[in-house]
Amino acid sequence: MQIIEQFADLTPVNIVINFIDVLLVWYVVYKILTLIKGTKAVQLLKGIFVIIIARIATDYLGLETLGWMLQQVIEFGFLAIIIIFQPEIRRGLEQIGRGKLFQRSTSQVEEEQTRLIEAMKKSVSYMAKRRIGALISIEKETGLNEYIETGIGLNAEISSELLINIFIPNTPLHDGAVIMQKDKVTAAACYLPLSESPFISKELGTRHRAALGLSEVTDAITIVVSEETGAISITVNGNLHRNLSLEEFEALLRKMWFGSAQESNATSKLTWRGKKNG
């Protein structure tokens, strides 16, 4: 009855204020999850939830000693969270300072998507003609930080000149994969997991096996330029699209990375996901 009376006392203004309050809390939680997605912080967050659930379970099971220990962990956890999530907190503050929480226009999104596709097309075309081997992975929903940590960090703007220069033979970064996140070349000389599938053609080399291996455990798009033939291939979701012409490569990459022209998101930010089975 008390709860019903409290709801009855709410005025229309109070209802609107409470609704806005809930929306703001939801937005803050959403932005926090967006910032930590694809990082090790996700696993740490899962660990925190496990501790909280275990603490609740100790009350029901009467495990007083274990409950006391978990309570101490929770009470001092706020300081630990600040230390553990320091990189994510700093990144979030930097994004707020740069105004990246504001929306971008449709034309800006389309221009940026076109620039990225053109940079990839130009670099792949150059390397294919000269038979320069290349391996480029593009992060989508599944985080690739585990593989980024095996390479050399760059955090550079995507450009055809940079990609070409990385894969020039006998340079320090040419051996391994380039990993891209959104509009950045995050790292080079990265190690990718090799596919162990027995159905892979014997004529495919280590680059193709690495591209397929990554596509089997993540939803990343991986581009391969063969050093032997100059052939262009793309892997995604465990599928290998081989011997693509430059036009086929451009169309397939655009579809996988941003979705088709009709499906491209005309909202505030770049859409970094393609069709799941595209």
Side-chain angles (χ1 to χ4, degrees), residues 10 37 67 93 97 117 260 273 276:
L10 289 175
K37 183 178 67 174
L93 293 175
I117 293 293
S260 63
R273 69 183 74 176
K276 196 68 178 173

Side-chain angles (χ1 to χ4, degrees), residues 134-205:
L135 185 61
I136 304 171
S137 293
I138 302 171
E139 182 186 82
K140 292 176 68 181
E141 295 296 324
T142 307
L144 300 180
N145 283 16
E146 175 183 352
Y147 309 107
I148 290 171
E149 291 172 356
T150 66
I152 306 298
L154 296 178
N155 195 32
E157 295 290 336
I158 294 173
S159 69
S160 58
E161 293 81 5
L162 175 60
L163 292 173
I164 291 169
N165 195 65
I166 288 173
F167 289 108
I168 294 295
N170 302 320
T171 56
L173 299 179
H174 88 283
D175 191 18
V178 160
I179 295 181
M180 294 167 26
Q181 293 178 309
K182 297 187 178 181
D183 59 345
K184 298 286 187 182
V185 177
T186 307
C190 300
Y191 292 99
L192 303 184
L194 297 180
S195 174
E196 297 181 358
S197 172
F199 304 106
I200 298 176
S201 172
K202 299 296 183 182
E203 65 186 48
L204 297 180

Side-chain angles (χ1 to χ4, degrees), residues 18 26 45 76 79 84 87 89 102 109 120 161 164-166 168-170 194 197 204 219 229 241 252:
N18 289 336
W26 174 85
L45 193 61
F76 292 100
L79 178 60
I84 293 171
I89 293 172
F102 295 99
V109 171
M120 298 300 297
E161 293 81 5
I164 291 169
N165 195 65
I166 288 173
I168 294 295
N170 302 320
L194 297 180
S197 172
L204 297 180
D219 60 353
T229 65
H241 304 267
L252 189 58

